[in-house]
Amino acid sequence: MASKVIHALYTDDDVLMDAVKKVRAEHYHIEEVFCPFPVHGLDKAMGIPHTRLAITSFMYGCVGLTVAILMMNYIMIEDWPQNIGGKPSFSYIENMPAFVPIMFELTVFFAAHLMVITFYMRSRLWPFKEAENPDVRTTDDHFLMEVDAGNHDVDQLTSLLGDTGAVEIKVIDKEEDNH
Amino acid sequence: MYTLSNRLRLFSIILMVVGLVGLIIGFTQAPSSIEEVKEMMAAHDAHGGGHGDSHAQTGGHNEGHSEDAHGGDAHYEHVLHQLQNKPWASLYAAAFFFFMIALGVLAFYAIQFAAQAGWSPVLFRVMEAITAYLVPGGLILFVILALSGFHVNHLFVWADPEVVAHDKLIQGKSGWLNGTGFIIRAAIFLGGWLLYRHFAVKYSRKQDEDSEGNKWYKKSFKISAGFLVFFIYTESMMSWDWIMSFDPHWFSTLFGWYVFASLFVSGITTIALITIYLKSKGYLEFVNDSHIHDLAKFMFGISIFWTYLWFSQFMLIWYSNIPEEVTYFITRIEDYKLPFFGMLVMNFIFPLLVLMNSDFKRVNWFVVMAGIVILCGHYIDVYNMIMPATVGESWFIGISEISAVLLFLGLFLFVVFRALTKAPLLAKGNPYLEESKHFHY
């Protein structure tokens, strides 16, 4: 089923922010906004919930710390506790200062890399992925707001978007969710 | 304008009086002769059973070089010196701790100017008021240092000519560690810091009256940059003189940075606590949650920086285990296990977990709670740096320690809040003030 969306293009981020607020005040559904750079406060204006990436990162860090501790406890203390340069290998805690650099690095390593991979997965980014850019100008100097036309009156919606300062308005028939 | 409430004035005066009385009790309780020590230890051993043996084994590692010659009573004399040092050392630890808070705030203030920070100008008057403690705090510290440097008490072993006469290592260091040089250096450090403080506050007030062309602001910027250069050298030397020389046989190259991190984080925490207090009383309506958030981020970050330096110092010495260096940590781990590792929990693990969440950094009572733990943790840090060399295994957080903290806490509150009444709480001439008022993170 094909659905109708309206693409409204803007050339200024302040105008875009005002437009987003107006469109939301009129209870239209904004599908997506494409910007060439991050616009401060846009997520708040669009009502997008906070990211939980930082929380995942904290948990990945805990995993990394656990891996480091279990690994070194097994290798250095349980499996083959050798006397290496007089370092006490009787228990983990006695030799812990020597392990701290690795514990720290693995915590950071897990927290950073797994968070980045989570980000890629959640935002569906990978090599050879087909770009979803509806208009090439949005990577350079234009901002594009995609509004779901739904059952609304298209003429009324376009005139509203025109009032918000859009420089170009297009009505697009879109194949069902190709992204 | 802030007005000092009578309750706060009374509260700080009560703290000072109670602290002073307690400290005097602490001084009178210190034994004056070997016989008294023997009595005390006999009474103590009756409860503790055999505790004296461990004293005997570890005794003499510090001032021992001169005492080995005295024979039988050497051990008791050693304990006598420790117990006599106890009220002095607790006085010194508290005096240094509150002084170092004011000094940390001064460094933070200078950095805000030199970095042309846009968020902090609304907090400048709070910082200026905290640094007001540098004047009385510095003078008191100077007097204590002068007394110790000329051996009125036994705080610094290197100041004792009899000890030096038998100690080749201290003799080698006497070019630096001698009473006269010690006092001259202390005067230079304190003089430089107070000079900067005086002119920074003066220019800040002048900028309020005459902000045309930012003439005074530019002067503040220049002296702040100059002060920071002076500060990092003198702070480093101060840490050798005032802290590291308690253990004149020991040395560490990153000690200056370690002390700096400690004073810096205590200073920032104090700014946050006093800001939150004043805001809760309605005096700082232009300070918003984002300012508190930024201060909390600094508390968090510098706490971790402190831990990094603590660990770097500890791990390098633990790992190489060179006898002349490692005694420093061996005495601390054997005799001060709880304060030594407890401060690590208070200064690292607690702020790490409490202040990591960005929302928690905006919750005032959370920041206050974390701040109080950090400040207590850094008092224990100072305690750990000073006590093992002065009172050794005879340490105890008792009347003299708590009283000394109360005395200086009272003085600190009194001086800081009285200084707050001296100027409007908004530095209105600062060119970054509008940005700072609308600061939003």
Side-chain angles (χ1 to χ4, degrees):
Chain A
M1 187 190 121
S3 67
K4 267 202 171 69
V5 292
I6 297 178
H7 282 179
L9 280 120
Y10 298 86
T11 50
D12 187 283
D13 49 340
D14 286 336
V15 180
L16 173 79
M17 283 284 280
D18 290 339
V20 166
K21 282 173 195 158
K22 267 186 211 155
V23 171
R24 265 177 56 86
E26 298 287 331
H27 299 293
Y28 288 110
H29 176 64
I30 300 174
E31 283 275 309
E32 195 68 271
V33 175
F34 295 88
C35 304
F37 53 78
V39 178
H40 278 287
L42 184 61
D43 50 344
K44 209 175 250 175
M46 287 174 68
I48 295 173
H50 276 297
T51 173
R52 289 165 297 178
L53 264 185
I55 299 168
T56 66
S57 180
F58 178 78
M59 293 190 293
Y60 296 146
C62 294
V63 172
L65 186 64
T66 313
V67 167
I69 292 171
L70 292 179
M71 176 184 76
M72 286 184 294
N73 185 49
Y74 178 68
I75 298 173
M76 302 300 291
I77 310 296
E78 284 175 9
D79 189 38
W80 197 352
Q82 284 193 103
N83 182 346
I84 302 165
K87 286 280 156 287
S89 51
F90 309 107
S91 70
Y92 190 78
I93 197 76
E94 272 178 292
N95 208 359
M96 199 190 69
F99 301 146
V100 166
I102 297 159
M103 284 153 65
F104 171 76
E105 292 293 347
L106 278 185
T107 308
V108 175
F109 181 87
F110 273 63
H113 288 82
L114 291 180
M115 178 178 73
V116 168
I117 294 168
T118 308
F119 167 72
Y120 285 154
M121 283 163 57
R122 290 291 291 158
S123 50
R124 298 161 197 275
L125 284 174
W126 57 85
F128 311 114
K129 179 197 162 80
E130 203 177 329
E132 292 166 1
N133 193 4
D135 191 312
V136 286
R137 289 171 297 175
T138 59
T139 61
D140 182 17
D141 60 349
H142 278 63
F143 302 82
L144 189 149
M145 177 161 58
E146 185 177 296
V147 185
D148 183 13
N151 310 324
H152 305 297
D153 181 353
V154 172
D155 290 336
Q156 205 186 337
L157 184 49
T158 44
S159 76
L160 172 75
L161 289 170
D163 288 344
T164 60
V167 291
E168 197 179 312
I169 298 169
K170 289 185 285 193
V171 183
I172 304 234
D173 280 322
K174 194 160 119 178
E175 284 308 310
E176 192 55 56
D177 220 0
N178 56 358
H179 63 87
Chain B
M1 288 294 275
Y2 174 74
T3 44
L4 181 58
S5 69
N6 277 330
R7 273 177 60 199
L8 194 64
R9 189 199 307 270
L10 195 66
F11 177 66
S12 58
I13 290 172
I14 289 173
L15 281 180
M16 280 191 273
V17 171
V18 169
L20 197 63
V21 171
L23 202 61
I24 291 168
I25 294 173
F27 272 102
T28 53
Q29 275 181 349
S32 53
S33 67
I34 294 178
E35 280 64 38
E36 275 183 53
V37 175
K38 283 180 178 167
E39 272 173 41
M40 282 167 77
M41 285 178 66
H44 186 254
D45 283 350
H47 308 293
H51 188 57
D53 296 340
S54 66
H55 282 267
Q57 279 161 12
T58 47
H61 65 79
N62 236 337
E63 300 168 45
H65 299 272
S66 61
E67 286 164 0
D68 286 342
H70 298 308
D73 278 345
H75 167 56
Y76 291 107
E77 193 184 330
H78 181 61
V79 177
L80 172 68
H81 282 174
Q82 292 185 336
L83 291 175
Q84 282 178 338
N85 268 343
K86 201 166 169 287
W88 281 105
S90 41
L91 177 74
Y92 185 87
F96 182 81
F97 175 68
F98 284 97
F99 177 80
M100 105 182 174
I101 290 177
L103 189 60
V105 173
L106 191 70
F108 189 72
Y109 180 75
I111 289 172
Q112 298 306 304
F113 266 103
Q116 303 180 14
W119 67 278
S120 52
V122 292
L123 303 172
F124 277 175
R125 286 292 143 83
V126 176
M127 297 186 211
E128 283 165 16
I130 299 173
T131 57
Y133 179 75
L134 278 176
V135 185
L139 286 177
I140 293 170
L141 197 60
F142 186 77
V143 170
I144 302 175
L145 287 168
L147 292 176
S148 310
F150 290 108
H151 207 56
V152 176
N153 52 52
H154 302 281
L155 277 184
F156 295 99
V157 246
W158 55 260
D160 187 345
E162 206 190 319
V163 172
V164 179
H166 296 90
D167 191 323
K168 277 253 161 48
L169 279 171
I170 300 183
Q171 280 167 23
K173 293 182 183 184
S174 60
W176 179 274
L177 288 181
N178 56 72
T180 322
F182 186 73
I183 291 308
I184 292 172
R185 285 192 303 274
I188 293 172
F189 304 157
L190 284 167
W193 300 335
L194 290 177
L195 209 61
Y196 167 70
R197 197 260 158 194
H198 174 78
F199 283 105
V201 172
K202 186 176 158 190
Y203 293 166
S204 163
R205 304 283 149 88
K206 293 246 187 198
Q207 174 75 13
D208 266 13
E209 294 156 18
D210 173 24
S211 56
E212 202 62 41
N214 289 327
K215 189 174 91 183
W216 299 105
Y217 174 78
K218 285 175 187 163
K219 286 191 179 200
S220 298
F221 175 80
K222 280 180 199 154
I223 58 167
S224 299
F227 165 73
L228 286 171
V229 176
F230 176 78
F231 174 75
I232 205 61
Y233 284 102
T234 48
E235 189 276 334
S236 196
M237 288 189 263
M238 173 274 276
S239 74
W240 309 336
D241 268 7
W242 298 359
I243 306 275
M244 198 158 74
S245 79
F246 281 114
D247 301 88
H249 288 175
W250 182 80
F251 46 85
S252 165
T253 42
L254 62 67
F255 198 75
W257 280 108
Y258 174 68
V259 173
F260 168 74
S262 201
L263 65 88
F264 203 47
V265 71
S266 315
I268 293 166
T269 306
T270 308
I271 298 173
L273 292 183
I274 291 182
T275 305
I276 290 172
Y277 171 76
L278 288 174
K279 192 171 158 53
S280 75
K281 295 281 169 198
Y283 286 106
L284 298 173
E285 74 281 358
F286 38 83
V287 170
N288 58 41
D289 279 355
S290 294
H291 295 108
I292 305 296
H293 188 152
D294 257 31
L295 284 170
K297 275 192 279 187
F298 266 108
M299 283 160 61
F300 175 74
I302 308 296
S303 282
I304 289 170
F305 177 62
W306 174 88
T307 316
Y308 167 66
L309 291 174
W310 177 85
F311 183 71
S312 301
Q313 180 167 281
F314 172 73
M315 196 266 249
L316 285 182
I317 290 173
W318 172 87
Y319 206 105
S320 57
N321 206 16
I322 301 171
E324 71 230 43
E325 286 181 347
V326 85
T327 49
Y328 184 83
F329 286 112
I330 285 178
T331 50
R332 275 157 184 80
I333 290 173
E334 278 183 356
D335 302 332
Y336 289 75
K337 202 166 237 124
L338 182 65
F340 187 67
F341 292 110
M343 76 165 176
L344 209 56
V345 175
M346 294 168 88
N347 291 341
F348 174 59
I349 297 176
F350 189 81
L352 178 82
L353 296 176
V354 168
L355 291 177
M356 192 185 300
N357 190 315
S358 153
D359 295 330
F360 291 173
K361 291 198 214 53
R362 293 167 170 266
V363 181
N364 284 354
W365 69 267
F366 242 86
V367 178
V368 170
M369 188 178 66
I372 289 170
V373 173
I374 291 175
L375 284 181
C376 294
H378 282 282
Y379 172 74
I380 296 177
D381 183 22
V382 171
Y383 188 85
N384 274 323
M385 290 195 273
I386 292 172
M387 290 295 169
T390 48
V391 303
E393 60 270 40
S394 310
W395 72 277
F396 182 68
I397 296 190
I399 291 177
S400 53
E401 282 78 7
I402 293 169
S403 307
V405 170
L406 292 183
L407 169 65
F408 285 101
L409 178 66
L411 184 67
F412 184 83
L413 291 178
F414 185 74
V415 171
V416 169
F417 282 94
R418 216 171 58 109
L420 277 168
T421 63
K422 296 284 164 61
L425 286 171
L426 190 62
K428 68 179 195 311
N430 192 289
Y432 292 102
L433 191 65
E434 278 310 307
E435 182 183 341
S436 178
K437 273 180 171 174
H438 299 115
F439 173 67
H440 170 77
Y441 168 74

